[in-house]
Amino acid sequence: MSDRLKGKVAIVTGSSSGIGQSIAVRFAQEGADVVIDYRSHPEGADDTRKQVEAAGARAITVQADVSRVGDTQNLVDQAWSQLGRCDILVNNAGVEKNAAFVDVTEADYDMVLDVNLKGAFFLTQAFVRRLTAAKIPGRVINISSVHEDMVFPNFTSYACSKGAMRMMARNLAVELGPLGITVNNIAPGAINTPINSSLLADKSKLDALLANIPLGRLGKPEEVAGLAVFLASDDGSYTSGSTYVVDGGLMRNYHEQ
Ligand code: BGC
């Protein structure tokens, strides 16, 4: 496409499918080399790797469960040892669990918070430590959700994790700005990805959701990836501490009739 990310190396967590895969491929098309992180779908990671390489970029796949701090450190180490540097981090890996508040188990709560929040927290820490040691600037892009702000009944642990990610980005924009590191969130609405597979299989739930979306359809992963390229590129160099919503108008929906 072009070379807006030429010479850069990016880690994209959860890039074996969905939004993460799309961002990894778009970054490669813009000239970046990519660390493809996956937890349990090596075949998806392999598919991403083929697409990244077809775009002419280098790729490595690394199995890492971001909820384990040691795994997050390894992701950053692999980027530096195999690709020589690491300038961009996309905290995309995320999970959600549908349960009424009174039924949420401790195990499910821990899983959601550990992947969505703790994972992004400690991976960002490992990423920043290497940037400061190398004295180079960097970009952190968190894929949060419209639910960093908007209610999501029956997904309270998920909404808590994304709300916390909102504050993490604001705090880190201030703390890391002096180091030349920008921190921003992208808040997708309903995007056609595997995280929505049960919703997509339930026509009445899907129709109810679509009725709330002014554009009348789900988003495509590529429609999120374009914004990630902006935030990672020179075009986004003065942008920090904000959340960018990509939701077809969902958050602003209001009807009198
Ligand atoms: C969730 C989806 C949901 C969408 C819109 C996303 O963050 O992952 O399950 O459909 O928000 O509510």
Side-chain angles (χ1 to χ4, degrees):
M1 266 179 194
S2 69
D3 57 0
R4 290 161 82 194
L5 302 178
K6 189 107 210 111
K8 306 288 188 201
V9 173
I11 295 174
V12 185
T13 67
S15 47
S16 57
S17 70
I19 292 171
Q21 181 175 66
S22 190
I23 291 174
V25 173
R26 268 308 301 279
F27 276 14
Q29 290 168 345
E30 300 288 349
D33 295 330
V34 185
V35 179
I36 299 158
D37 153 71
Y38 68 99
R39 182 177 60 178
S40 41
H41 294 288
E43 68 296 338
D46 216 42
D47 179 34
T48 310
R49 183 181 56 73
K50 286 183 188 135
Q51 294 187 56
V52 166
E53 288 173 353
R58 292 185 297 164
I60 59 169
T61 58
V62 180
Q63 199 276 335
D65 176 348
V66 296
S67 67
R68 297 167 190 258
V69 175
D71 282 15
T72 62
Q73 286 162 349
N74 182 49
L75 259 181
V76 176
D77 288 348
Q78 294 302 319
W80 280 86
S81 63
Q82 295 196 53
L83 297 173
R85 57 189 295 131
C86 189
D87 314 272
I88 303 160
L89 169 63
V90 182
N91 285 307
N92 166 77
V95 291
E96 65 186 33
K97 199 81 193 168
N98 183 346
F101 174 69
V102 290
D103 295 330
V104 174
T105 64
E106 183 179 359
D108 285 347
Y109 171 93
D110 283 345
M111 179 191 64
V112 172
L113 272 291
D114 284 356
V115 171
N116 298 5
L117 181 62
K118 182 182 169 191
F121 188 108
F122 285 102
L123 179 54
T124 303
Q125 184 185 66
F127 172 70
V128 168
R129 283 178 176 164
R130 292 297 287 253
L131 287 180
T132 47
K135 297 194 173 52
I136 61 171
R139 303 286 170 89
V140 178
I141 302 164
N142 301 311
I143 308 304
S144 67
S145 165
V146 287
H147 301 297
E148 69 162 51
D149 195 34
M150 190 171 80
V151 298
F152 202 10
N154 299 313
F155 290 86
T156 298
S157 53
Y158 181 78
C160 289
S161 72
K162 298 299 185 176
M165 197 175 230
R166 177 181 180 85
M167 282 314 296
M168 187 171 82
R170 291 174 176 201
N171 257 54
L172 295 188
V174 173
E175 212 172 315
L176 304 179
L179 303 171
I181 301 169
T182 67
V183 186
N184 291 288
N185 285 8
I186 297 177
I191 309 296
N192 196 338
T193 73
I195 207 172
N196 279 317
S197 52
S198 59
L199 174 87
L200 293 168
D202 184 331
K203 189 172 172 346
S204 65
K205 277 194 188 159
L206 180 61
D207 287 347
L209 172 63
L210 291 177
N212 282 319
I213 302 174
L215 287 181
R217 63 173 177 84
L218 297 185
K220 296 181 246 166
E222 309 87 77
E223 292 174 303
V224 180
L227 183 56
V229 170
F230 168 81
L231 291 171
S233 73
D234 285 348
D235 289 333
S237 53
Y238 198 59
T239 302
S240 196
S242 290
T243 293
Y244 298 86
V245 176
V246 184
D247 72 344
L250 172 66
M251 279 182 89
R252 298 287 175 246
N253 197 11
Y254 174 72
H255 291 286
E256 293 244 337
Q257 48 189 323

